[in-house]
Amino acid sequence: MTPSGGLQVALYFLTVLAIAKPMGVFMARVFAGERTFAHPLLRPLERGLYRLVGVTEDAEQRWTAYAGSLLSFSFFSFLFVYLLQRIQAVLPLNPQKLPSATPDLAFNTAVSFTTNTNWQAYAGETTMSYLVQMAALTVQNFASAAAGVAIAIALIRGFARQQEKTIGNFWVDLTRAVVYLFLPLSLAGALFF
């Protein structure tokens, strides 16, 4: 390894070490429903999303309902991504007039983005239209990662709440992961780059 490469690795680990505790405390407060410094700006967005989709924020779920919510979210996410790819030829935002993805490619890509592995067996701009890249693939980059965070939070709650019957609400955890974690981090990353 070159000295420059070693310095980059060291800086990376120091950065992770420096942000681990503050980020962990922030995430603990967010998923516990406590007020954070981001609440004045992001809480109205969070509440608006709950009203829009009909989620009762205080209603907790047993593990079976939580798992069912996760599975239904993942299934319909997969279906949406698959169908959008299969009909992309007739959708707008396709200036190159790209044909629809083949069934096997659409299935592979939809499964990949739903499970957050994001494996691409195609050349991006020569296979997927702008609409599919925006509405399906980019959305899944947020949604599937948020589902993964929700699973981790539910697992932690399961260990911490051994005597209780509920482990939170999947829809609330999913929403909070997107609103309080991924949107601000993506905005900060965009401003940085």
mmCIF file of all heavy atoms in Angstrom, residues 66-110:
data_model
loop_
_atom_site.group_PDB
_atom_site.id
_atom_site.type_symbol
_atom_site.label_atom_id
_atom_site.label_comp_id
_atom_site.label_asym_id
_atom_site.label_seq_id
_atom_site.Cartn_x
_atom_site.Cartn_y
_atom_site.Cartn_z
ATOM 1 N N TYR A 66 -45.278 -6.698 12.084
ATOM 2 C CA TYR A 66 -44.089 -5.985 11.618
ATOM 3 C C TYR A 66 -43.487 -6.727 10.421
ATOM 4 O O TYR A 66 -43.192 -6.131 9.384
ATOM 5 C CB TYR A 66 -43.075 -5.877 12.751
ATOM 6 C CG TYR A 66 -42.032 -4.804 12.578
ATOM 7 C CD1 TYR A 66 -42.155 -3.586 13.240
ATOM 8 C CD2 TYR A 66 -40.908 -5.002 11.788
ATOM 9 C CE1 TYR A 66 -41.195 -2.600 13.109
ATOM 10 C CE2 TYR A 66 -39.944 -4.021 11.642
ATOM 11 C CZ TYR A 66 -40.092 -2.821 12.302
ATOM 12 O OH TYR A 66 -39.135 -1.842 12.164
ATOM 13 N N ALA A 67 -43.329 -8.045 10.556
ATOM 14 C CA ALA A 67 -42.781 -8.854 9.466
ATOM 15 C C ALA A 67 -43.705 -8.835 8.248
ATOM 16 O O ALA A 67 -43.235 -8.757 7.107
ATOM 17 C CB ALA A 67 -42.555 -10.288 9.940
ATOM 18 N N GLY A 68 -45.011 -8.893 8.490
ATOM 19 C CA GLY A 68 -45.966 -8.821 7.382
ATOM 20 C C GLY A 68 -45.888 -7.492 6.652
ATOM 21 O O GLY A 68 -45.966 -7.447 5.417
ATOM 22 N N SER A 69 -45.725 -6.409 7.401
ATOM 23 C CA SER A 69 -45.578 -5.088 6.783
ATOM 24 C C SER A 69 -44.311 -5.023 5.941
ATOM 25 O O SER A 69 -44.326 -4.513 4.814
ATOM 26 C CB SER A 69 -45.538 -4.003 7.854
ATOM 27 O OG SER A 69 -46.744 -3.949 8.569
ATOM 28 N N LEU A 70 -43.232 -5.550 6.476
ATOM 29 C CA LEU A 70 -41.963 -5.576 5.734
ATOM 30 C C LEU A 70 -42.099 -6.382 4.447
ATOM 31 O O LEU A 70 -41.684 -5.943 3.371
ATOM 32 C CB LEU A 70 -40.844 -6.159 6.594
ATOM 33 C CG LEU A 70 -39.567 -6.536 5.847
ATOM 34 C CD1 LEU A 70 -38.830 -5.303 5.382
ATOM 35 C CD2 LEU A 70 -38.685 -7.410 6.704
ATOM 36 N N LEU A 71 -42.688 -7.560 4.557
ATOM 37 C CA LEU A 71 -42.829 -8.413 3.383
ATOM 38 C C LEU A 71 -43.753 -7.803 2.337
ATOM 39 O O LEU A 71 -43.476 -7.864 1.137
ATOM 40 C CB LEU A 71 -43.316 -9.802 3.792
ATOM 41 C CG LEU A 71 -42.296 -10.636 4.573
ATOM 42 C CD1 LEU A 71 -42.946 -11.912 5.088
ATOM 43 C CD2 LEU A 71 -41.069 -10.930 3.738
ATOM 44 N N SER A 72 -44.850 -7.190 2.778
ATOM 45 C CA SER A 72 -45.757 -6.567 1.804
ATOM 46 C C SER A 72 -45.093 -5.351 1.156
ATOM 47 O O SER A 72 -45.220 -5.154 -0.058
ATOM 48 C CB SER A 72 -47.086 -6.191 2.450
ATOM 49 O OG SER A 72 -46.915 -5.199 3.429
ATOM 50 N N PHE A 73 -44.368 -4.563 1.936
ATOM 51 C CA PHE A 73 -43.643 -3.424 1.373
ATOM 52 C C PHE A 73 -42.627 -3.896 0.337
ATOM 53 O O PHE A 73 -42.548 -3.356 -0.765
ATOM 54 C CB PHE A 73 -42.940 -2.632 2.479
ATOM 55 C CG PHE A 73 -42.062 -1.536 1.965
ATOM 56 C CD1 PHE A 73 -42.611 -0.364 1.488
ATOM 57 C CD2 PHE A 73 -40.687 -1.688 1.933
ATOM 58 C CE1 PHE A 73 -41.802 0.643 0.989
ATOM 59 C CE2 PHE A 73 -39.869 -0.684 1.439
ATOM 60 C CZ PHE A 73 -40.437 0.498 0.970
ATOM 61 N N SER A 74 -41.874 -4.926 0.681
ATOM 62 C CA SER A 74 -40.860 -5.442 -0.236
ATOM 63 C C SER A 74 -41.499 -6.030 -1.495
ATOM 64 O O SER A 74 -41.002 -5.824 -2.611
ATOM 65 C CB SER A 74 -39.998 -6.494 0.462
ATOM 66 O OG SER A 74 -39.271 -5.904 1.502
ATOM 67 N N PHE A 75 -42.602 -6.748 -1.328
ATOM 68 C CA PHE A 75 -43.274 -7.344 -2.490
ATOM 69 C C PHE A 75 -43.777 -6.261 -3.437
ATOM 70 O O PHE A 75 -43.562 -6.324 -4.653
ATOM 71 C CB PHE A 75 -44.427 -8.252 -2.059
ATOM 72 C CG PHE A 75 -45.216 -8.768 -3.222
ATOM 73 C CD1 PHE A 75 -44.703 -9.774 -4.034
ATOM 74 C CD2 PHE A 75 -46.458 -8.237 -3.530
ATOM 75 C CE1 PHE A 75 -45.420 -10.241 -5.139
ATOM 76 C CE2 PHE A 75 -47.177 -8.699 -4.624
ATOM 77 C CZ PHE A 75 -46.657 -9.701 -5.426
ATOM 78 N N PHE A 76 -44.468 -5.266 -2.906
ATOM 79 C CA PHE A 76 -45.015 -4.226 -3.775
ATOM 80 C C PHE A 76 -43.913 -3.330 -4.347
ATOM 81 O O PHE A 76 -44.046 -2.812 -5.462
ATOM 82 C CB PHE A 76 -46.108 -3.428 -3.070
ATOM 83 C CG PHE A 76 -47.382 -4.211 -2.943
ATOM 84 C CD1 PHE A 76 -47.781 -4.722 -1.726
ATOM 85 C CD2 PHE A 76 -48.153 -4.488 -4.062
ATOM 86 C CE1 PHE A 76 -48.941 -5.475 -1.609
ATOM 87 C CE2 PHE A 76 -49.314 -5.239 -3.966
ATOM 88 C CZ PHE A 76 -49.704 -5.732 -2.735
ATOM 89 N N SER A 77 -42.822 -3.152 -3.616
ATOM 90 C CA SER A 77 -41.672 -2.434 -4.174
ATOM 91 C C SER A 77 -41.099 -3.195 -5.358
ATOM 92 O O SER A 77 -40.810 -2.615 -6.408
ATOM 93 C CB SER A 77 -40.583 -2.256 -3.112
ATOM 94 O OG SER A 77 -41.021 -1.436 -2.072
ATOM 95 N N PHE A 78 -40.921 -4.504 -5.171
ATOM 96 C CA PHE A 78 -40.427 -5.354 -6.264
ATOM 97 C C PHE A 78 -41.356 -5.259 -7.471
ATOM 98 O O PHE A 78 -40.903 -5.068 -8.601
ATOM 99 C CB PHE A 78 -40.322 -6.808 -5.796
ATOM 100 C CG PHE A 78 -40.323 -7.792 -6.926
ATOM 101 C CD1 PHE A 78 -39.181 -8.013 -7.667
ATOM 102 C CD2 PHE A 78 -41.490 -8.465 -7.264
ATOM 103 C CE1 PHE A 78 -39.184 -8.900 -8.738
ATOM 104 C CE2 PHE A 78 -41.502 -9.356 -8.329
ATOM 105 C CZ PHE A 78 -40.351 -9.574 -9.070
ATOM 106 N N LEU A 79 -42.651 -5.385 -7.221
ATOM 107 C CA LEU A 79 -43.631 -5.366 -8.309
ATOM 108 C C LEU A 79 -43.596 -4.036 -9.062
ATOM 109 O O LEU A 79 -43.632 -4.013 -10.302
ATOM 110 C CB LEU A 79 -45.024 -5.626 -7.732
ATOM 111 C CG LEU A 79 -46.101 -6.066 -8.693
ATOM 112 C CD1 LEU A 79 -45.716 -7.355 -9.406
ATOM 113 C CD2 LEU A 79 -47.409 -6.268 -7.934
ATOM 114 N N PHE A 80 -43.503 -2.942 -8.345
ATOM 115 C CA PHE A 80 -43.451 -1.616 -8.954
ATOM 116 C C PHE A 80 -42.216 -1.474 -9.844
ATOM 117 O O PHE A 80 -42.315 -1.023 -10.994
ATOM 118 C CB PHE A 80 -43.465 -0.544 -7.865
ATOM 119 C CG PHE A 80 -43.336 0.854 -8.390
ATOM 120 C CD1 PHE A 80 -44.392 1.462 -9.041
ATOM 121 C CD2 PHE A 80 -42.155 1.565 -8.235
ATOM 122 C CE1 PHE A 80 -44.278 2.760 -9.541
ATOM 123 C CE2 PHE A 80 -42.033 2.853 -8.724
ATOM 124 C CZ PHE A 80 -43.090 3.443 -9.376
ATOM 125 N N VAL A 81 -41.052 -1.860 -9.323
ATOM 126 C CA VAL A 81 -39.815 -1.747 -10.092
ATOM 127 C C VAL A 81 -39.874 -2.654 -11.323
ATOM 128 O O VAL A 81 -39.481 -2.260 -12.427
ATOM 129 C CB VAL A 81 -38.585 -2.074 -9.214
ATOM 130 C CG1 VAL A 81 -37.313 -2.138 -10.038
ATOM 131 C CG2 VAL A 81 -38.437 -1.049 -8.101
ATOM 132 N N TYR A 82 -40.373 -3.868 -11.149
ATOM 133 C CA TYR A 82 -40.483 -4.811 -12.270
ATOM 134 C C TYR A 82 -41.403 -4.253 -13.359
ATOM 135 O O TYR A 82 -41.044 -4.221 -14.545
ATOM 136 C CB TYR A 82 -41.000 -6.160 -11.765
ATOM 137 C CG TYR A 82 -41.179 -7.173 -12.873
ATOM 138 C CD1 TYR A 82 -40.099 -7.887 -13.362
ATOM 139 C CD2 TYR A 82 -42.429 -7.388 -13.446
ATOM 140 C CE1 TYR A 82 -40.247 -8.802 -14.401
ATOM 141 C CE2 TYR A 82 -42.591 -8.299 -14.485
ATOM 142 C CZ TYR A 82 -41.501 -9.006 -14.948
ATOM 143 O OH TYR A 82 -41.657 -9.902 -15.979
ATOM 144 N N LEU A 83 -42.590 -3.820 -12.967
ATOM 145 C CA LEU A 83 -43.564 -3.332 -13.955
ATOM 146 C C LEU A 83 -43.084 -2.073 -14.675
ATOM 147 O O LEU A 83 -43.293 -1.931 -15.883
ATOM 148 C CB LEU A 83 -44.915 -3.088 -13.297
ATOM 149 C CG LEU A 83 -45.661 -4.336 -12.845
ATOM 150 C CD1 LEU A 83 -46.931 -3.972 -12.094
ATOM 151 C CD2 LEU A 83 -45.981 -5.238 -14.025
ATOM 152 N N LEU A 84 -42.439 -1.175 -13.940
ATOM 153 C CA LEU A 84 -41.935 0.040 -14.576
ATOM 154 C C LEU A 84 -40.904 -0.296 -15.656
ATOM 155 O O LEU A 84 -40.913 0.311 -16.735
ATOM 156 C CB LEU A 84 -41.320 0.969 -13.522
ATOM 157 C CG LEU A 84 -41.649 2.442 -13.640
ATOM 158 C CD1 LEU A 84 -43.146 2.676 -13.667
ATOM 159 C CD2 LEU A 84 -41.028 3.213 -12.513
ATOM 160 N N GLN A 85 -40.057 -1.263 -15.383
ATOM 161 C CA GLN A 85 -39.069 -1.674 -16.391
ATOM 162 C C GLN A 85 -39.736 -2.340 -17.596
ATOM 163 O O GLN A 85 -39.305 -2.159 -18.726
ATOM 164 C CB GLN A 85 -38.079 -2.667 -15.782
ATOM 165 C CG GLN A 85 -37.161 -2.065 -14.749
ATOM 166 C CD GLN A 85 -36.297 -3.136 -14.157
ATOM 167 O OE1 GLN A 85 -35.262 -3.465 -14.721
ATOM 168 N NE2 GLN A 85 -36.722 -3.697 -13.032
ATOM 169 N N ARG A 86 -40.772 -3.125 -17.323
ATOM 170 C CA ARG A 86 -41.429 -3.867 -18.401
ATOM 171 C C ARG A 86 -42.230 -2.967 -19.332
ATOM 172 O O ARG A 86 -42.469 -3.332 -20.485
ATOM 173 C CB ARG A 86 -42.340 -4.959 -17.814
ATOM 174 C CG ARG A 86 -41.588 -6.076 -17.114
ATOM 175 C CD ARG A 86 -40.763 -6.925 -18.062
ATOM 176 N NE ARG A 86 -41.664 -7.614 -18.965
ATOM 177 C CZ ARG A 86 -41.464 -7.773 -20.263
ATOM 178 N NH1 ARG A 86 -40.375 -7.306 -20.826
ATOM 179 N NH2 ARG A 86 -42.338 -8.416 -21.003
ATOM 180 N N ILE A 87 -42.658 -1.793 -18.849
ATOM 181 C CA ILE A 87 -43.446 -0.892 -19.706
ATOM 182 C C ILE A 87 -42.706 0.411 -20.018
ATOM 183 O O ILE A 87 -43.316 1.359 -20.494
ATOM 184 C CB ILE A 87 -44.833 -0.584 -19.079
ATOM 185 C CG1 ILE A 87 -44.688 0.147 -17.753
ATOM 186 C CG2 ILE A 87 -45.646 -1.859 -18.921
ATOM 187 C CD1 ILE A 87 -45.979 0.699 -17.202
ATOM 188 N N GLN A 88 -41.404 0.453 -19.780
ATOM 189 C CA GLN A 88 -40.671 1.705 -19.977
ATOM 190 C C GLN A 88 -40.743 2.233 -21.404
ATOM 191 O O GLN A 88 -40.654 3.432 -21.625
ATOM 192 C CB GLN A 88 -39.230 1.568 -19.514
ATOM 193 C CG GLN A 88 -38.260 1.063 -20.531
ATOM 194 C CD GLN A 88 -36.824 1.144 -20.076
ATOM 195 O OE1 GLN A 88 -36.517 1.699 -19.023
ATOM 196 N NE2 GLN A 88 -35.927 0.590 -20.860
ATOM 197 N N ALA A 89 -40.936 1.379 -22.387
ATOM 198 C CA ALA A 89 -40.989 1.821 -23.785
ATOM 199 C C ALA A 89 -42.154 2.768 -24.051
ATOM 200 O O ALA A 89 -42.072 3.618 -24.949
ATOM 201 C CB ALA A 89 -41.082 0.612 -24.716
ATOM 202 N N VAL A 90 -43.237 2.663 -23.283
ATOM 203 C CA VAL A 90 -44.408 3.517 -23.507
ATOM 204 C C VAL A 90 -44.517 4.643 -22.482
ATOM 205 O O VAL A 90 -45.467 5.426 -22.534
ATOM 206 C CB VAL A 90 -45.717 2.681 -23.501
ATOM 207 C CG1 VAL A 90 -45.709 1.682 -24.648
ATOM 208 C CG2 VAL A 90 -45.936 1.996 -22.175
ATOM 209 N N LEU A 91 -43.557 4.741 -21.586
ATOM 210 C CA LEU A 91 -43.589 5.766 -20.538
ATOM 211 C C LEU A 91 -42.837 7.019 -20.984
ATOM 212 O O LEU A 91 -41.983 6.956 -21.871
ATOM 213 C CB LEU A 91 -42.970 5.215 -19.258
ATOM 214 C CG LEU A 91 -43.726 4.080 -18.574
ATOM 215 C CD1 LEU A 91 -42.931 3.541 -17.399
ATOM 216 C CD2 LEU A 91 -45.104 4.531 -18.137
ATOM 217 N N PRO A 92 -43.133 8.154 -20.353
ATOM 218 C CA PRO A 92 -42.395 9.384 -20.679
ATOM 219 C C PRO A 92 -40.963 9.328 -20.130
ATOM 220 O O PRO A 92 -40.584 8.379 -19.455
ATOM 221 C CB PRO A 92 -43.212 10.471 -19.978
ATOM 222 C CG PRO A 92 -43.937 9.780 -18.889
ATOM 223 C CD PRO A 92 -44.185 8.373 -19.362
ATOM 224 N N LEU A 93 -40.214 10.373 -20.406
ATOM 225 C CA LEU A 93 -38.814 10.512 -19.989
ATOM 226 C C LEU A 93 -37.945 9.380 -20.534
ATOM 227 O O LEU A 93 -37.107 8.818 -19.846
ATOM 228 C CB LEU A 93 -38.690 10.603 -18.467
ATOM 229 C CG LEU A 93 -39.319 11.834 -17.830
ATOM 230 C CD1 LEU A 93 -39.244 11.754 -16.313
ATOM 231 C CD2 LEU A 93 -38.661 13.101 -18.331
ATOM 232 N N ASN A 94 -38.189 9.074 -21.789
ATOM 233 C CA ASN A 94 -37.420 8.050 -22.483
ATOM 234 C C ASN A 94 -36.998 8.622 -23.841
ATOM 235 O O ASN A 94 -37.424 8.141 -24.892
ATOM 236 C CB ASN A 94 -38.266 6.781 -22.659
ATOM 237 C CG ASN A 94 -37.477 5.619 -23.213
ATOM 238 O OD1 ASN A 94 -36.284 5.712 -23.453
ATOM 239 N ND2 ASN A 94 -38.161 4.518 -23.437
ATOM 240 N N PRO A 95 -36.138 9.680 -23.836
ATOM 241 C CA PRO A 95 -35.798 10.348 -25.101
ATOM 242 C C PRO A 95 -35.020 9.463 -26.077
ATOM 243 O O PRO A 95 -35.074 9.686 -27.285
ATOM 244 C CB PRO A 95 -34.961 11.551 -24.663
ATOM 245 C CG PRO A 95 -34.427 11.178 -23.330
ATOM 246 C CD PRO A 95 -35.459 10.282 -22.705
ATOM 247 N N GLN A 96 -34.332 8.438 -25.572
ATOM 248 C CA GLN A 96 -33.592 7.545 -26.452
ATOM 249 C C GLN A 96 -34.482 6.467 -27.060
ATOM 250 O O GLN A 96 -34.023 5.638 -27.830
ATOM 251 C CB GLN A 96 -32.435 6.856 -25.707
ATOM 252 C CG GLN A 96 -31.419 7.802 -25.143
ATOM 253 C CD GLN A 96 -31.699 8.108 -23.668
ATOM 254 O OE1 GLN A 96 -32.820 7.973 -23.183
ATOM 255 N NE2 GLN A 96 -30.678 8.528 -22.961
ATOM 256 N N LYS A 97 -35.750 6.456 -26.658
ATOM 257 C CA LYS A 97 -36.711 5.440 -27.128
ATOM 258 C C LYS A 97 -36.207 4.026 -26.821
ATOM 259 O O LYS A 97 -36.245 3.134 -27.666
ATOM 260 C CB LYS A 97 -36.992 5.590 -28.620
ATOM 261 C CG LYS A 97 -37.447 6.963 -29.045
ATOM 262 C CD LYS A 97 -38.865 7.222 -28.609
ATOM 263 C CE LYS A 97 -39.370 8.541 -29.155
ATOM 264 N NZ LYS A 97 -39.664 9.519 -28.149
ATOM 265 N N LEU A 98 -35.736 3.843 -25.599
ATOM 266 C CA LEU A 98 -35.238 2.534 -25.185
ATOM 267 C C LEU A 98 -36.381 1.540 -25.089
ATOM 268 O O LEU A 98 -37.474 1.890 -24.632
ATOM 269 C CB LEU A 98 -34.533 2.631 -23.822
ATOM 270 C CG LEU A 98 -33.295 3.520 -23.776
ATOM 271 C CD1 LEU A 98 -32.835 3.719 -22.340
ATOM 272 C CD2 LEU A 98 -32.186 2.935 -24.620
ATOM 273 N N PRO A 99 -36.145 0.308 -25.499
ATOM 274 C CA PRO A 99 -37.201 -0.705 -25.369
ATOM 275 C C PRO A 99 -37.375 -1.109 -23.911
ATOM 276 O O PRO A 99 -36.514 -0.844 -23.071
ATOM 277 C CB PRO A 99 -36.672 -1.875 -26.205
ATOM 278 C CG PRO A 99 -35.190 -1.723 -26.150
ATOM 279 C CD PRO A 99 -34.930 -0.235 -26.103
ATOM 280 N N SER A 100 -38.478 -1.754 -23.632
ATOM 281 C CA SER A 100 -38.704 -2.259 -22.274
ATOM 282 C C SER A 100 -37.681 -3.339 -21.957
ATOM 283 O O SER A 100 -37.181 -4.029 -22.849
ATOM 284 C CB SER A 100 -40.117 -2.826 -22.154
ATOM 285 O OG SER A 100 -41.060 -1.792 -22.315
ATOM 286 N N ALA A 101 -37.385 -3.494 -20.692
ATOM 287 C CA ALA A 101 -36.445 -4.530 -20.263
ATOM 288 C C ALA A 101 -37.068 -5.904 -20.472
ATOM 289 O O ALA A 101 -38.283 -6.072 -20.376
ATOM 290 C CB ALA A 101 -36.091 -4.336 -18.792
ATOM 291 N N THR A 102 -36.244 -6.882 -20.761
ATOM 292 C CA THR A 102 -36.732 -8.253 -20.927
ATOM 293 C C THR A 102 -37.226 -8.765 -19.565
ATOM 294 O O THR A 102 -36.806 -8.260 -18.522
ATOM 295 C CB THR A 102 -35.614 -9.174 -21.453
ATOM 296 O OG1 THR A 102 -34.538 -9.163 -20.514
ATOM 297 C CG2 THR A 102 -35.125 -8.714 -22.821
ATOM 298 N N PRO A 103 -38.094 -9.765 -19.561
ATOM 299 C CA PRO A 103 -38.627 -10.265 -18.282
ATOM 300 C C PRO A 103 -37.538 -10.713 -17.306
ATOM 301 O O PRO A 103 -37.611 -10.391 -16.113
ATOM 302 C CB PRO A 103 -39.511 -11.447 -18.691
ATOM 303 C CG PRO A 103 -39.894 -11.165 -20.091
ATOM 304 C CD PRO A 103 -38.735 -10.434 -20.702
ATOM 305 N N ASP A 104 -36.525 -11.419 -17.788
ATOM 306 C CA ASP A 104 -35.488 -11.892 -16.875
ATOM 307 C C ASP A 104 -34.632 -10.754 -16.335
ATOM 308 O O ASP A 104 -34.296 -10.721 -15.152
ATOM 309 C CB ASP A 104 -34.615 -12.965 -17.539
ATOM 310 C CG ASP A 104 -33.937 -12.488 -18.809
ATOM 311 O OD1 ASP A 104 -34.493 -11.602 -19.489
ATOM 312 O OD2 ASP A 104 -32.849 -13.007 -19.135
ATOM 313 N N LEU A 105 -34.302 -9.770 -17.178
ATOM 314 C CA LEU A 105 -33.524 -8.627 -16.719
ATOM 315 C C LEU A 105 -34.332 -7.785 -15.731
ATOM 316 O O LEU A 105 -33.822 -7.351 -14.705
ATOM 317 C CB LEU A 105 -33.063 -7.771 -17.893
ATOM 318 C CG LEU A 105 -32.268 -6.519 -17.517
ATOM 319 C CD1 LEU A 105 -30.971 -6.895 -16.805
ATOM 320 C CD2 LEU A 105 -31.985 -5.682 -18.752
ATOM 321 N N ALA A 106 -35.610 -7.564 -16.042
ATOM 322 C CA ALA A 106 -36.468 -6.785 -15.146
ATOM 323 C C ALA A 106 -36.621 -7.483 -13.797
ATOM 324 O O ALA A 106 -36.566 -6.840 -12.747
ATOM 325 C CB ALA A 106 -37.837 -6.561 -15.787
ATOM 326 N N PHE A 107 -36.793 -8.792 -13.816
ATOM 327 C CA PHE A 107 -36.923 -9.552 -12.568
ATOM 328 C C PHE A 107 -35.632 -9.467 -11.756
ATOM 329 O O PHE A 107 -35.657 -9.172 -10.558
ATOM 330 C CB PHE A 107 -37.247 -11.015 -12.878
ATOM 331 C CG PHE A 107 -37.417 -11.868 -11.658
ATOM 332 C CD1 PHE A 107 -38.639 -11.923 -11.007
ATOM 333 C CD2 PHE A 107 -36.360 -12.599 -11.143
ATOM 334 C CE1 PHE A 107 -38.809 -12.696 -9.865
ATOM 335 C CE2 PHE A 107 -36.507 -13.367 -10.005
ATOM 336 C CZ PHE A 107 -37.733 -13.425 -9.367
ATOM 337 N N ASN A 108 -34.504 -9.712 -12.407
ATOM 338 C CA ASN A 108 -33.213 -9.667 -11.725
ATOM 339 C C ASN A 108 -32.948 -8.292 -11.116
ATOM 340 O O ASN A 108 -32.531 -8.178 -9.965
ATOM 341 C CB ASN A 108 -32.096 -10.046 -12.702
ATOM 342 C CG ASN A 108 -30.741 -10.067 -12.039
ATOM 343 O OD1 ASN A 108 -30.580 -10.625 -10.972
ATOM 344 N ND2 ASN A 108 -29.772 -9.457 -12.690
ATOM 345 N N THR A 109 -33.200 -7.258 -11.879
ATOM 346 C CA THR A 109 -32.961 -5.897 -11.403
ATOM 347 C C THR A 109 -33.916 -5.536 -10.273
ATOM 348 O O THR A 109 -33.501 -4.931 -9.276
ATOM 349 C CB THR A 109 -33.086 -4.900 -12.568
ATOM 350 O OG1 THR A 109 -32.186 -5.291 -13.609
ATOM 351 C CG2 THR A 109 -32.770 -3.485 -12.129
ATOM 352 N N ALA A 110 -35.177 -5.900 -10.409
ATOM 353 C CA ALA A 110 -36.153 -5.589 -9.359
ATOM 354 C C ALA A 110 -35.804 -6.295 -8.056
ATOM 355 O O ALA A 110 -35.849 -5.693 -6.978
ATOM 356 C CB ALA A 110 -37.559 -5.974 -9.816
#
